Amino acid sequence: MTIRILTGILAFLFYAGCLQAQAPAGVHSYLETIDIATGKRRVVYSEAALLEAPNWSKDGRYLLFNKKGRLYRYWLNDRIVDELPFDSTLQANNDHGFSPDGSQLAISGGISGSHIFTASAEGGPLQQLTAQSPSYWHGWSPDSKTLAFVGLRNGDFDIYTIPAAGGPEKRLTREKGLDDGPDYSPDGRYIYFNSYRSGRMQIWRMAADGRDPEQLTDDRYANWFPHPSPNGRWVVFLSFMEDQRQEHPFGKDVQLRLLDIVTQTVRDLTPVFFGGQGTINVPSWSPDGRKLAFVSYRIP
């Protein structure tokens, strides 16, 4: 067995384990929202189960999350939960999100590895886009024509794009070390992402075609999953208080932090809380850009 093949197998096992958070028995999940201006947090729903990765619907009416391989909606006004009707073989993981007009979903999952699918936001038939696994969706382009994702190819995780209508994937990053969490700026000029290329996980951005990468954070934290606000002014991201190298595990001390794109300054959005994998993997801004959704956890 060659070094490259062995490296690829180990990387796949490591990353697959990260994406299916292994929570201890008895974990309790708190689906929360936070007001960006005031910092006020509100628990809108809680359950004695592992809930992950909320998306805010484009009409603002519900939060989408995954649990045990299925996708669910929490209706904010009615305070009820229902399951989206997808084939039982989907086995969704925590990388999913709405198209810019809210009519479609991109979903990562599958019974043999993780592929990327698109489907109606109301459920129903799935269209598989990626031929290779693992592939994990993270962003829609503003024109709805392109999906950005991270994939393991030739022993390294890099950022790729693929047409939403189907077609060949395009590789955007080639640096050694994990590149992850690609999400488009609302004007489509940039892709924000997190990268370990500097020897610590930090927030970066590049042109939408992969050119001109630039590092945006440089601190002692491990920074993951940048998500630009609808107006493009802010980028929220998840910070682990301790260096996790190239992992983003469940059950760690974390914070949500906010990068001001104009001033290039970072401020803490929340105090430290118990979270990590599943807290804010995917875009979760409210349509008006005033709030965010995320998940915190408790273990009795």
Side-chain angles (χ1 to χ4, degrees), residues 4 9 18 22 36 40 69 75 79-81 106 143-144 154 177 196 201 209 218 232-233 245 249 254 264 269 287-288:
R4 172 169 289 193
I9 293 173
C18 286
Q22 301 300 308
I36 298 301
K40 183 177 181 180
W75 295 87
R79 300 182 182 180
I80 59 173
V81 174
D143 62 7
S144 298
N154 299 315
Y196 198 73
M201 194 62 73
D209 61 3
D218 185 12
R233 173 66 187 269
R245 299 184 65 81
V254 296
Q264 294 291 293
L269 187 58
D288 60 10

Side-chain angles (χ1 to χ4, degrees), residues 77-197:
N77 288 337
D78 298 328
R79 300 182 182 180
I80 59 173
V81 174
D82 63 3
E83 181 182 344
L84 279 174
F86 288 115
D87 188 281
S88 61
T89 61
L90 172 60
Q91 291 301 303
N93 56 50
N94 49 39
D95 294 323
H96 44 73
F98 293 98
S99 61
D101 66 1
S103 66
Q104 290 184 285
L105 281 171
I107 308 167
S108 303
I111 57 175
S112 58
S114 179
H115 288 281
I116 297 173
F117 303 85
T118 55
S120 165
E122 298 300 317
L126 297 161
Q127 177 187 1
Q128 181 174 326
L129 297 184
T130 54
Q132 299 186 62
S133 174
S135 300
Y136 304 101
W137 173 87
H138 278 278
W140 285 86
S141 63
D143 62 7
S144 298
K145 294 181 178 180
T146 307
L147 304 181
F149 69 96
V150 59
L152 176 62
R153 310 289 186 262
N154 299 315
D156 202 13
F157 282 99
D158 281 297
I159 292 170
Y160 295 79
T161 58
I162 194 167
E169 62 185 39
K170 178 182 179 182
R171 184 179 180 181
L172 298 187
T173 61
R174 298 180 180 275
E175 297 288 334
K176 288 299 179 183
L178 178 66
D179 295 316
D180 199 353
D183 195 4
Y184 283 90
S185 62
D187 61 8
R189 293 179 59 195
Y190 300 105
I191 291 176
Y192 289 83
F193 63 104
N194 54 277
S195 177
Y196 198 73
R197 64 186 64 187

